[in-house]
Amino acid sequence: RNLGRLTRLFLKAEQERQHNYLKDGPYVSSQEAVAIYTTMVHWLESRKFSPIPFPPLSYKHDTKLLVLSLERLKEMYQNKSRLTHAQREELGLVERAYDDPHSTLSRIKRQLLTQRAFKEISIEFMDLYSHLIPTYDIEPLEKITDAYLDQYLWYESTKRGLWPNWVKPGDSEP
């Protein structure tokens, strides 16, 4: 009963926040936005950054990036002794992606090229009695696509020198 009440209050506060944003407009003035944009452009030019293209259909690092992204998804279930049905299903999709990386990559790229609608996500709240923590449930296929895109963008931006050394993880770090 308490969780339901707190959930309604959370959703009401979020709706109020969004309504205030629409009513009051963006909280960044046009001059500030231009200054931010100009600073970003100058920073990218100083690093001689070139735009990252869409992942090509035949990319030599595709399989390696996919395996890295699948390993990151699989890590979430390493320490769990009991899995829910949804978690077992997601782990099964990850294993199938390991078994057939080429069809997985073609599905990911087709999805990135053609998908124009947002997928639904569900939200649940973890009640810690002092506060609520929202947890979002995202479809497993979306997670695989997002993980691959994350690995691809990180690799390409690192290769183009976007990140300074203090941002990149080092081998000497734990």
Side-chain angles (χ1 to χ4, degrees):
R1 219 171 85 198
N2 190 29
L3 180 61
R5 185 177 302 133
L6 290 174
T7 302
R8 285 191 297 280
L9 287 173
F10 176 86
L11 292 174
K12 185 177 180 184
E14 180 63 20
Q15 185 179 22
E16 181 76 20
R17 185 191 68 79
Q18 291 178 5
H19 176 72
N20 287 339
Y21 181 82
L22 289 175
K23 184 178 72 174
D24 298 335
Y27 299 117
V28 177
S29 71
S30 57
Q31 293 85 9
E32 290 171 326
V34 168
I36 292 168
Y37 178 77
T38 306
T39 304
M40 184 69 181
V41 167
H42 290 311
W43 184 75
L44 289 172
E45 285 174 351
S46 72
R47 301 194 68 76
K48 296 177 180 57
F49 185 75
S50 60
I52 298 173
F54 184 81
L57 294 177
S58 57
Y59 185 60
K60 69 179 182 177
H61 301 298
D62 260 348
T63 311
K64 294 174 188 170
L65 291 175
L66 180 66
V67 167
L68 283 173
S69 61
L70 293 174
E71 283 174 1
R72 265 187 50 207
L73 288 174
K74 202 174 175 182
E75 279 176 6
M76 294 188 302
Y77 303 112
Q78 293 292 337
N79 297 331
K80 293 189 176 183
S81 58
R82 299 182 66 126
L83 298 176
T84 64
H85 175 70
Q87 291 171 334
R88 281 194 303 273
E89 183 180 303
E90 182 176 333
L91 202 52
L93 281 171
V94 169
E95 293 295 334
R96 270 185 255 139
Y98 269 119
D99 295 340
D100 192 10
H102 298 293
S103 67
T104 303
L105 284 167
S106 66
R107 183 195 52 77
I108 287 172
K109 290 179 182 179
R110 184 175 57 249
Q111 185 178 7
L112 288 172
L113 276 172
T114 60
Q115 182 179 345
R116 296 286 182 247
F118 291 106
K119 299 279 186 174
E120 283 189 24
I121 62 169
S122 64
I123 182 172
E124 293 180 7
F125 290 93
M126 194 178 343
D127 189 2
L128 300 179
Y129 298 109
S130 62
H131 60 284
L132 294 177
I133 299 176
T135 58
Y136 302 96
D137 187 31
I138 300 169
E139 290 181 17
L141 291 175
E142 286 290 312
K143 283 185 182 179
I144 293 172
T145 303
D146 289 348
Y148 171 77
L149 189 59
D150 178 52
Q151 285 292 332
Y152 173 76
L153 290 174
W154 183 260
Y155 174 74
E156 287 294 323
S157 58
T158 303
K159 192 169 79 172
R160 287 170 166 70
L162 180 64
W163 310 112
N165 285 334
W166 50 268
V167 172
K168 299 177 209 171
D171 290 338
S172 61
E173 296 178 19

